[in-house]
Amino acid sequence: MSPRLTDWSLALAGGLAFATGVWSLFSGAPEQWTVFAFHGAAGLWLLALLYGKLRRVWPRIVRPRRWDRRTLYGLLALAVVTLAGGTGVYWVAGGGGALAGYNALNWHIVLGFGLTGAIALHMWARAKRLRARDVRGRRQAIQFGLLALGAAALWPAQQALQRAANLPGARRRFTGSREAASFQGNVFPTSSWVADAPRPLDAGTWRLRVGGAVAQPFALGYTEVDAAGDELTATLDCTGGFYSAQRWQGMRVGRLLERAGPLADVGWVRFVSVTGYRWSLPLAEARAALLATRVGDETLVHAHGAPLRLVAPGRRGFEWVKWIVAVEALTAPDLGQILAIHWSSLTPAGRGE
Ligand code: HEM
């Protein structure tokens, strides 16, 4: 393929991998497996294109005397792409271990963001316009098509190979997450986005405020919520790479809403943590969610969000709000929640003061 077509294909594959990567962070429902399949295929396509680019620049790479600043940038970009893609493939294959306390998937996501920034900068500074002759010709089209289709075929082939060889990667969930302590109560791993670490809440004085666009706002104490005795089996799937299926007990959100009486134009329900962290669900989905005080018949521990956390089937772990103090009915989507989940760790409560 012409150098320009290769470069623009690399940018396209990188952009697709990034977009599906970010989308994957919000994808936890089984029918969303395609997001991860597209992501894997886009990432593998980028690695295949990289091989083509490498073949072209290799003569320069192996003669350091011919290097200039561009070569150094190119080598840096090559290292970041290889690490970003490599950590993805390593994780999918079941690769273990951690660096500075972070596993390969954590590093993959950080490198994925870094790489995308680097590609965008590189394209902005150096991209040359794609001309008709760069895309014309049967050979170009065949090469472009073969590489893209090859990558798309590589993903299912990789999954089948892993299953046939019974590689650890074959046991991962469609999200890439790995099973941890399912149906064993509180012992499953704890994680907190970004770094929320509030002080333990006293269940005796803790109150749950139910309000927003409702006819009857009210507040509940711990005993009332815990006594509701509703139950839900659901899988908590953390974007950090683990999942745990559990039986949760507490009160269904629908029960709260029935009592509060949401106004006619309510479309969302927001769950607010003591740290200011918050997330919302569409009304119908919220009704089926659970506010858990227990997991596997054990009282929830502080690290898992005691006295109350959200259990939202099909949502990723960071959407399962912990240390809940308020439930609010909303007439409009909460556009600020994506910021709140980042600054909550900076609040005095989020820092545990
Ligand atoms: C921006 C944020 C990103 C996120 C959240 C993300 C997330 C993920 C996840 C969860 C997996 C495992 C999927 C599975 O188990 O099937 C994965 C795999 C992978 N990702 Fe990313 N990724 C991101 C960016 C990127 C970028 C920019 C690239 C481009 C190099 C990339 C390339 C890959 C590759 C090659 C794999 C392995 C695919 C396979 O072996 O099937 N990712 N990524």
Side-chain angles (χ1 to χ4, degrees), residues 175-221:
T175 57
S177 295
R178 298 169 186 178
E179 194 280 328
S182 289
F183 300 106
Q184 296 172 42
N186 279 295
V187 291
F188 68 91
T190 57
S191 59
S192 196
W193 181 258
V194 171
D196 274 20
R199 281 200 195 156
L201 296 173
D202 172 7
T205 55
W206 169 89
R207 305 289 284 165
L208 175 65
R209 284 177 288 107
V210 181
V214 296
Q216 302 275 344
F218 62 95
L220 286 179

